Amino acid sequence: MKFYVASSFKNIDKVRYVSEQLKNKGYIHTYDWTKNKRASTFKELKQIGQKEKNAVIESDFIVILLPAGKSSHIELGIALGLNKKVILYSPNDQRKDFAKSSTFYHLSEVLKFTGTLDELVNFLTVKEKD
């Protein structure tokens, strides 16, 4: 199974943790954006954007770790448009905070998960075996 994890730079350690745990269980990471520095030119933005788009397309499922950044929401939209499995993770159920929520968080095809990162990894590995 191939996966992609989207989030914001402030969650970089959490993204790396989830990705490493999934890779240790035999899952294939389509792109590790956490290795990038923040883009400082439009050319870099374009290159990163293409890699992230391709990673979503290649994935069997994507995980969105909240709080998420601008690009994460675009990746969420791409995944939904391609009928990919989407798992929305929030340690504190941020999606229920109206001021921070997005309309797309509430779609029935978006699986929601609240808990620890280890519980999330367990959920993902059990869910994807179904």
Side-chain angles (χ1 to χ4, degrees):
M1 280 290 211
K2 296 180 182 179
F3 73 94
Y4 179 74
V5 181
S7 193
S8 65
F9 268 100
K10 60 183 153 189
N11 284 332
I12 211 164
D13 291 334
K14 293 176 182 176
V15 171
R16 287 177 177 158
Y17 180 80
V18 170
S19 299
E20 285 304 311
Q21 295 301 310
L22 290 172
K23 289 190 302 189
N24 289 341
K25 294 180 182 286
Y27 290 76
I28 299 165
H29 195 189
T30 57
Y31 179 63
D32 185 359
W33 60 266
T34 69
K35 294 180 180 178
N36 298 332
K37 294 181 283 181
R38 285 194 185 268
S40 59
T41 67
F42 290 118
K43 181 179 179 181
E44 290 172 338
L45 281 175
K46 180 180 179 181
Q47 290 170 341
I48 292 167
Q50 188 62 56
K51 290 176 184 177
E52 291 177 349
K53 176 185 168 191
N54 292 344
V56 172
I57 291 168
E58 292 174 24
S59 297
D60 296 306
F61 67 96
I62 73 162
V63 180
I64 309 289
L65 299 182
L66 296 179
K70 294 183 294 188
S71 293
S72 301
H73 290 91
I74 294 167
E75 293 158 350
L76 170 64
I78 294 168
L80 288 170
L82 294 172
N83 294 313
K84 302 285 182 176
K85 290 183 184 178
V86 176
I87 299 88
L88 181 71
Y89 168 80
S90 176
N92 58 7
D93 216 1
Q94 175 184 325
R95 69 184 172 86
K96 291 184 179 176
D97 180 343
F98 197 82
K100 296 179 181 177
S101 197
S102 166
T103 55
F104 295 101
Y105 295 176
H106 303 279
L107 296 176
S108 60
E109 60 263 41
V110 174
L111 299 173
K112 292 87 173 169
F113 189 86
T114 301
T116 67
L117 290 177
D118 287 326
E119 291 169 332
L120 171 65
V121 170
N122 184 58
F123 172 80
L124 293 170
T125 55
V126 169
K127 186 74 180 160
E128 293 312 312
K129 288 180 183 174
D130 293 346

